[in-house]
Amino acid sequence: MILDKEKMRLYNGNEVITFSRTNEGFGELSNMSSKFPLFVNDIIIPSSEALYQAMRYSLFPKAQNEIIKQASPMTAKMISKKYLPYSRQDWDLIKLKVMRWVMEIKLSQHWNKLAPILERTSNRPIVELSYKDQFWGAVNKGNGQLIGINALGRLWMDLREKHILNNHKLKCVEPLSIAGFRLYDFDIETICCEDDFLENTKEDQICATV
Amino acid sequence: MKVKAEGIADILADYENNNMTTEHVLEWVHQFDIADQEFILDELLHIFQRTYLSKTRCRQLLTSYIKYWAKEFKYDNIPSLISETIFLDLQPPHKSQKELLDLLDEILIESYGCNLAQSGQKAKRYIYLDDVLSTGGTIYRNLNDWLHSTSDIATTKTNYYFLKDNHLKLHIYLLCGHTWGTNNVEYRLIKSIGENIKKIVDTKAYYWIENNIKDYNPKLNNMVPLDRHDPYVHEYWNSLVAIDKANHAFRPTHSPTEEKLFSSPASRNRLETLFLVKGIEILSRVGELKVKQIRPLGYTVKSHKTFGLGTLFFTYRNIPNNCPLVFWWGSNNWKPLFVLKNRGV
């Protein structure tokens, strides 16, 4: 992948919050965490990684199903690679938007867990520390500095700015207005937050999506 | 007609709440237009053969569950399996769970020289047995309350932590499960208790109804009508107070991709429409409904703007109220095929 140098960022390692492995500090922010299953069109999606990968094949339900069936986010990513030739042709143009949408759903449906974690990052830069991926994350230059586009970290910072620092709870996430943005051949519904699951214990009522 | 009605009466012969005679079946079908009566009997004969569970079949199923548990949990004799298994008994006496446990008890006494009173001497696993998971409301409430309540065995812990700390599992065994409702139960438990619940609770069913139209290639072995733009149907639909899930009300024309329950796609379309329209007609005679979950194709979630679950699975002890109304509604000038035991209307 050719990286746009203008979009690269340089961070001082000792001034930032980094996340990398899911079982280490701030690992909850990783898409590889399996602690944050999502609920879309009344279907359980085991992880944010699985949803992101599935949307790459939004006109190819068979690939989506095989990705979503995997309990492990890493396996979901591996299965996704098998179908790469079937990717949406506009994938590189829309993937950042899709990732943001996926992360909004994750934040909205797990607000009670993720909002305090984002609060703990204060105002510090958030960086996904990677060994080689300078698009979604940043790599260690060896001199205490981290370099990369850090798209995932920057998306978290943006969500933090909008929803945590401004104390504006993310209640509902609208579907993206992209042609053929579908799951199993169905348009994706507006996805609302977890409160609906935590209340309504007295009625057989469920309204995760409207 | 008479032969077909006889065939249906034979299949449903052991239904416990009314006498299933040929005359009764004929009397019921005569409430439909004369041009549709024979077709209805033909199609129901086809469906009941597949999805009516007689008491004999239910006993066979429970026996196969017992054998499956012995194999799965590695026991060479059933009394040991039973003594180390706790069967949850969370529903009121007249409900399905209690009756299934009673039947299980009978089988254990007759065939395996043990009984349920001997169960749970050690807690190596928990089993929640029930007949039908429909919207999942009952199972969610039962299990969520139980998981949050204090364990009888370790009184300093909730049942959830007792299970987790001791690496025990809670197995849900059903005669029939709806995948849409099961997914809702699973996700609600994840939200209420934590994602670890996935490792603790699992659900198995003898018969799955794949009824989330938005899932991957669902069988739709239930009734979800096509939108034929019938003003009568739309007038009813628009009159519903419920607003959620309106896009689950009708199925797409291409779904299901393969017909697994009805005798043909054309028969599905015809029977769904007949039962939907007749159900609306019955409801129009009722006036204002006190129970907002009631829809022409059966009970569903109160907030859903749909026509009902359209369940086509029947047991000898009671018809699920998620089945189309034409089967079980018993007033407003309508005679039911199956008299409902706990109607609760």
Side-chain angles (χ1 to χ4, degrees):
Chain A
M1 188 192 306
I2 301 160
L3 296 172
D4 185 342
K5 280 189 181 159
E6 282 179 21
K7 290 180 182 164
M8 293 287 240
R9 295 287 185 278
L10 194 62
Y11 301 96
N12 277 328
N14 54 8
E15 289 171 1
V16 303
I17 297 284
T18 59
F19 64 93
S20 178
R21 293 172 190 272
T22 58
N23 56 358
E24 291 174 358
F26 297 96
E28 296 88 350
L29 301 180
S30 166
N31 284 327
M32 290 298 165
S33 173
S34 53
K35 292 181 178 169
F36 301 91
L38 309 176
F39 204 55
V40 178
N41 286 5
D42 285 9
I43 295 156
I44 298 176
I45 316 280
S47 63
S48 47
E49 181 68 23
L51 182 59
Y52 173 76
Q53 295 296 345
M55 296 322 290
R56 184 179 191 119
Y57 310 100
S58 50
L59 298 173
F60 193 18
K62 184 175 173 285
Q64 291 186 316
N65 183 50
E66 205 181 328
I67 291 166
I68 287 169
K69 270 196 319 197
Q70 312 305 322
S72 141
M74 196 59 89
T75 318
K77 191 176 180 179
M78 277 163 52
I79 297 285
S80 173
K81 282 189 179 155
K82 195 171 91 175
Y83 288 102
L84 281 180
Y86 300 93
S87 299
R88 292 178 60 110
Q89 290 187 352
D90 59 357
W91 183 243
D92 280 336
L93 298 173
I94 65 165
K95 67 181 182 186
L96 265 171
K97 267 189 197 174
V98 174
M99 183 62 91
R100 184 191 178 88
W101 171 81
V102 168
M103 288 163 68
E104 283 178 349
I105 296 170
K106 179 173 171 178
L107 177 58
S108 167
Q109 292 193 326
H110 296 276
W111 180 268
N112 290 348
K113 270 194 198 171
L114 289 172
I117 289 168
L118 287 173
E119 266 169 35
R120 274 192 1 242
T121 65
S122 311
N123 263 323
R124 295 165 73 181
I126 301 174
V127 179
E128 184 183 43
L129 184 59
S130 171
Y131 288 110
K132 54 180 181 179
D133 184 351
Q134 285 189 290
F135 178 72
W136 292 113
V139 298
N140 197 331
K141 279 180 79 180
N143 59 357
Q145 289 186 316
L146 310 174
I147 186 163
I149 292 176
N150 185 34
L152 205 67
R154 283 159 72 180
L155 282 171
W156 276 126
M157 287 186 262
D158 199 36
L159 292 177
R160 177 179 68 185
E161 177 80 28
K162 274 208 167 104
H163 300 289
I164 308 294
L165 302 178
N166 287 334
N167 204 12
H168 178 65
K169 185 169 176 173
L170 182 53
K171 286 190 177 156
C172 291
V173 181
E174 298 294 329
L176 295 179
S177 54
I178 291 173
F181 192 64
R182 311 187 100 196
L183 179 62
Y184 298 152
D185 271 341
F186 276 92
D187 288 339
I188 290 174
E189 300 164 1
T190 298
I191 297 165
C192 290
C193 67
E194 63 188 359
D195 295 353
D196 296 320
F197 288 102
L198 301 174
E199 294 160 5
N200 296 325
T201 50
K202 286 182 185 160
E203 290 182 70
D204 61 342
Q205 183 179 341
I206 187 161
C207 41
T209 52
V210 188
Chain B
M1 281 275 285
K2 200 174 171 211
V3 175
K4 287 166 186 169
E6 212 171 84
I8 287 177
D10 273 354
I11 297 172
L12 310 180
D14 71 345
Y15 186 66
E16 287 189 342
N17 309 317
N18 56 281
N19 220 352
M20 210 54 90
T21 60
T22 307
E23 292 67 38
H24 174 73
V25 175
L26 285 170
E27 205 183 342
W28 175 77
V29 84
H30 284 153
Q31 299 173 108
F32 292 90
D33 285 350
I34 195 154
D36 298 318
Q37 292 172 8
E38 191 149 3
F39 161 74
I40 290 172
L41 293 185
D42 267 334
E43 197 58 24
L44 288 184
L45 197 57
H46 179 87
I47 290 170
F48 287 147
Q49 277 165 355
R50 287 158 178 77
T51 60
Y52 178 77
L53 201 69
S54 67
K55 190 163 187 177
T56 310
R57 187 76 190 103
C58 189
R59 290 176 68 96
Q60 285 171 354
L61 270 180
L62 287 180
T63 306
S64 62
Y65 271 165
I66 295 168
K67 288 177 183 164
Y68 173 81
W69 296 333
K71 196 175 159 200
E72 177 80 4
F73 306 135
K74 301 185 173 59
Y75 285 90
D76 53 16
N77 71 84
I78 303 300
S80 305
L81 159 77
I82 296 301
S83 77
E84 297 187 344
T85 302
I86 294 181
F87 289 87
L88 291 178
D89 187 1
L90 304 177
Q91 296 179 4
H94 59 284
K95 294 287 188 181
S96 51
Q97 184 166 59
K98 195 81 177 167
E99 294 193 16
L100 270 180
L101 288 173
D102 287 347
L103 191 58
L104 182 69
D105 198 28
E106 268 178 49
I107 296 168
L108 290 172
I109 293 166
E110 282 168 21
S111 309
Y112 297 102
C114 60
N115 62 56
L116 277 185
Q118 295 160 344
S119 67
Q121 290 168 37
K122 274 189 190 168
K124 292 211 170 167
R125 72 201 56 81
Y126 287 79
I127 286 181
Y128 181 101
L129 192 62
D130 206 357
D131 62 353
V132 184
L133 183 162
S134 302
T135 62
T138 306
I139 287 193
Y140 172 74
R141 275 191 302 279
N142 283 340
L143 290 185
N144 190 48
D145 289 352
W146 183 79
L147 287 162
H148 280 106
S149 60
T150 308
S151 160
D152 290 340
I153 300 169
T155 51
T156 54
K157 292 179 181 180
T158 62
N159 282 307
Y160 168 66
Y161 278 103
F162 179 72
L163 287 167
K164 185 169 174 275
D165 296 348
N166 293 288
H167 308 290
L168 301 179
K169 285 197 169 180
L170 165 56
H171 307 276
I172 302 172
Y173 283 91
L174 306 164
L175 302 181
C176 169
H178 292 68
T179 53
W180 191 11
T182 306
N183 256 309
N184 282 340
V185 171
E186 281 178 16
Y187 199 72
R188 289 175 84 182
L189 286 175
I190 287 172
K191 294 310 306 177
S192 170
I193 290 172
E195 78 287 348
N196 274 327
I197 201 72
K198 287 184 294 186
K199 294 174 193 152
I200 292 175
V201 177
D202 67 36
T203 311
K204 291 198 165 66
Y206 155 70
Y207 183 73
W208 281 111
I209 295 179
E210 297 180 5
N211 67 324
N212 182 357
I213 59 167
K214 298 195 176 187
D215 214 328
Y216 178 64
N217 200 13
K219 280 186 196 160
L220 297 187
N221 42 346
N222 62 322
M223 284 189 164
V224 189
L226 287 176
D227 187 0
R228 295 164 177 272
H229 305 286
D230 176 348
Y232 185 65
V233 170
H234 276 261
E235 191 188 337
Y236 166 79
W237 192 46
N238 291 331
S239 75
L240 289 172
V241 181
I243 52 168
D244 294 342
K245 307 290 174 194
N247 44 21
H248 282 255
F250 299 102
R251 69 184 154 89
T253 43
H254 62 268
S255 187
T257 49
E258 197 185 344
E259 185 52 63
K260 299 270 192 188
L261 176 61
F262 293 81
S263 63
S264 70
S267 297
R268 169 193 281 272
N269 295 346
R270 185 171 170 191
L271 198 68
E272 279 176 346
T273 307
L274 281 171
F275 283 11
L276 173 63
V277 169
K278 190 57 89 177
I280 295 174
E281 201 181 302
I282 294 169
L283 286 179
S284 72
R285 296 180 209 147
V286 179
E288 196 174 339
L289 281 170
K290 285 190 185 133
V291 182
K292 302 290 182 207
Q293 291 95 327
I294 295 178
R295 304 293 158 75
L297 295 177
Y299 269 60
T300 192
V301 178
K302 188 163 79 174
S303 62
H304 287 187
K305 190 185 170 93
T306 63
F307 298 103
L309 277 199
T311 302
L312 295 173
F313 179 84
F314 315 85
T315 75
Y316 69 96
R317 58 165 294 279
N318 203 7
I319 179 166
N321 59 17
N322 312 95
C323 292
L325 239 56
V326 292
F327 284 124
W328 57 267
W329 194 261
S331 55
N332 312 99
N333 203 21
W334 186 261
K335 287 180 191 134
L337 180 62
F338 300 89
V339 171
L340 195 61
K341 196 188 287 181
N342 312 309
R343 200 163 57 187
V345 178

